[in-house]
Amino acid sequence: MNIGIVCYPTFGGSGVVATELGKALAKEGHKVHFITYSQPSRLDFLNENLFYHEVNINSYPLFEYAPYELALASKMVSVVQNEKLDLLHVHYAIPHASAAYMAKQILKSQGITIPVVTTLHGTDITLVGKDSSYEPVVTFSINQSDGVTAVSEDLRKETYESFKITSDIEVIPNFIDLEKFKKQKKDHFKKAICPHGESLIVHTSNFRKVKRVGDVIKIFANIHKEIPAKLLLIGDGPERARAETCCRQMGIHDDVRFLGKLEAVEEVLSVADLFLMPSEKESFGLAALEAMACEVPVISSNTGGLPELNVQGETGFLSAVGDIEDMTQKSLFILDKNNLPVFKQNALKRAKEFDISRILPLYESYYQQVIEKI
Ligand code: GMT
């Protein structure tokens, strides 16, 4: 197939899923055309089947806000025409699904039919989409898509509950490349971070409010009172400064490191003992899956799609959002040297169920189904 993928090119989960999916499709022999405003961060290797089309947004004095959605729709039109695409797969409802609708109508006026598949990732539904400034456009563009997928059963359910959706939503979960995300031997790194054999706890996120980074710090502070431990925080975002201040005020800053945006997350995960994800909302929890693939058990909240990934008492534990005491006690249980090895094994076993080789065929057959339908 000749597939156009539209996504955010940044480090966020939806962009990562879209890029990894495109790379895997290209390895299978499909031609994949990425359409976005800059080179996706994980589009880091050369393959004869991979193409990148940049959306240029020219600024004019008249525009206080440059209309990205229009430039994107125009680019989709030209890529579909010139590259003879079979299908457009857009990731994240806003503004990708609505821009795809416009592109589709323009192409229709030229006698070209292009099926559009929209993948809902989470905050496009749970946060942004519900905002009344966007809701009518989100509802309309989901209903106008020829195929819609959601990354968890919970997100599918929430989409039906929150919007007037008339089409079927297929659940295709996030996936993991176990060749990239696997436990590597990094003893020298572990020794440098934890010279006295401290337990190593890791959190990765975009430091937005929804991630409850404050809870990560509080849980760590509680653990730190009981056992020698270190905390590594990967990523960056609006809540980082507050989190750093909090660590200083709590007197734990010497044992906490903020690593910022890091490419090789798997190297850090390779030496971690526990991953914390106390999010307010989480449609799937790709960062937790990456940790599990590196044999790291997970303490998470029980929100959104997390119960579909993290198995209570096996791969980690799930607690109510904000229940710091429960998350602390469960963390200490996992970190006990008598319990940790079994949790590590279980985490890897569960991650294998989301191996890209199992999930890729689901997308391929869904594409085929959508193409045949229209
Ligand atoms: O986690 C984020 O805030 C980023 C966001 C995105 O769309 O870039 O991630 C969402 O999509 C990921 C990939 O499908 C999911 O694994 C994340 O759970 C989801 N985040 C939330 O629902 C908060």
Side-chain angles (χ1 to χ4, degrees):
M1 276 178 268
N2 210 0
I3 303 152
I5 292 191
V6 180
C7 64
Y8 284 110
T10 46
F11 281 88
S14 63
V16 168
V17 168
T19 314
E20 295 296 342
L21 174 63
K23 282 158 61 173
L25 287 164
K27 280 188 198 155
E28 285 297 304
H30 302 288
K31 287 207 166 14
V32 178
H33 296 263
F34 284 95
I35 308 170
T36 181
Y37 59 82
S38 75
Q39 175 97 0
S41 51
R42 291 230 185 144
L43 196 58
D44 48 6
F45 79 115
L46 199 63
N47 180 295
E48 68 279 13
N49 292 328
L50 279 177
F51 305 87
Y52 164 59
H53 306 267
E54 190 156 303
V55 181
N56 302 307
I57 321 150
N58 294 331
S59 161
Y60 295 100
L62 180 69
F63 296 155
E64 195 177 347
Y65 305 103
Y68 175 67
E69 193 172 342
L70 303 186
L72 174 62
S74 297
K75 183 58 88 178
M76 285 190 223
V77 168
S78 75
V79 177
V80 170
Q81 285 168 335
N82 298 332
E83 307 293 344
K84 312 269 180 290
L85 298 191
D86 297 311
L87 178 126
L88 275 172
H89 185 178
V90 304
H91 292 258
Y92 211 86
I94 300 172
H96 301 148
S98 45
Y101 172 74
M102 190 182 294
K104 191 178 152 117
Q105 295 311 308
I106 296 168
L107 288 158
K108 193 174 165 193
S109 72
Q110 301 166 0
I112 301 171
T113 306
I114 183 78
V116 173
V117 170
T118 297
T119 288
L120 308 173
H121 280 273
T123 48
D124 46 353
I125 294 301
T126 57
L127 293 177
V128 191
K130 284 184 188 164
D131 185 328
S132 56
S133 4
Y134 300 114
E135 185 279 323
V137 177
V138 172
T139 305
F140 179 79
S141 32
I142 292 175
N143 284 332
Q144 291 300 320
S145 298
D146 302 294
V148 183
T149 76
V151 298
S152 62
E153 277 296 342
D154 186 80
L155 183 61
R156 176 179 186 268
K157 190 165 151 269
E158 180 150 9
T159 308
Y160 281 128
E161 281 167 4
S162 311
F163 302 89
K164 286 200 176 72
I165 301 301
T166 51
S167 39
D168 290 342
I169 301 177
E170 181 89 0
V171 175
I172 304 187
N174 285 176
F175 50 80
I176 191 86
D177 179 355
L178 291 163
E179 279 305 306
K180 179 174 160 72
F181 284 90
K182 61 180 175 204
K183 191 174 172 65
Q184 304 170 13
K185 243 185 130 22
K186 295 275 167 198
D187 295 347
H188 57 289
F189 180 50
K190 178 85 180 220
K191 192 98 192 109
I193 304 280
C194 303
H196 308 295
E198 296 92 333
S199 294
L200 184 60
I201 296 156
V202 172
H203 169 77
T204 312
S205 77
N206 51 18
F207 285 65
R208 295 195 187 277
K209 271 209 156 56
V210 71
K211 300 295 176 179
R212 296 185 70 102
V213 183
D215 287 7
V216 172
I217 309 286
K218 288 180 197 154
I219 297 162
F220 175 74
N222 286 346
I223 296 171
H224 190 257
K225 276 187 211 147
E226 303 295 327
I227 58 170
K230 301 272 184 182
L231 173 66
L232 295 182
L233 294 121
I234 304 172
D236 212 331
E239 293 296 306
R240 175 170 167 177
R242 198 198 305 265
E244 289 194 60
T245 308
C246 191
C247 289
R248 278 192 291 274
Q249 284 169 348
M250 292 173 113
I252 53 172
H253 55 286
D254 284 343
D255 291 316
V256 181
R257 276 202 208 180
F258 290 80
L259 301 178
K261 286 179 184 163
L262 203 75
E263 283 287 347
V265 178
E266 63 280 9
E267 293 187 11
V268 177
L269 291 173
S270 289
V271 294
D273 297 305
L274 184 67
F275 188 83
L276 298 180
M277 184 174 258
S279 308
E280 183 87 35
K281 287 176 185 297
E282 200 67 61
S283 67
F284 181 87
L286 180 61
L289 174 58
E290 291 177 347
M292 286 158 71
C294 295
E295 301 178 32
V296 187
V298 173
I299 288 289
S300 72
S301 52
N302 58 8
T303 191
L306 283 169
E308 295 169 48
L309 171 68
N310 191 13
V311 185
Q312 185 76 293
E314 284 184 25
T315 61
F317 288 101
L318 303 98
S319 311
V321 172
D323 193 342
I324 288 156
E325 194 43 47
D326 194 49
M327 292 193 202
T328 305
Q329 292 314 320
K330 302 284 169 47
S331 298
L332 288 166
F333 181 83
I334 292 177
L335 291 170
D336 184 311
K337 66 176 185 336
N338 294 316
N339 301 329
L340 190 56
V342 177
F343 277 97
K344 279 179 169 284
Q345 270 174 28
N346 291 347
L348 175 60
K349 192 166 163 240
R350 178 78 177 137
K352 285 182 178 167
E353 293 174 35
F354 298 91
D355 184 9
I356 191 159
S357 63
R358 290 181 174 213
I359 309 298
L360 188 68
L362 303 183
Y363 275 112
E364 287 175 298
S365 75
Y366 189 65
Y367 291 164
Q368 207 56 57
Q369 218 176 296
V370 169
I371 289 171
E372 279 161 20
K373 193 178 77 180
I374 75 160

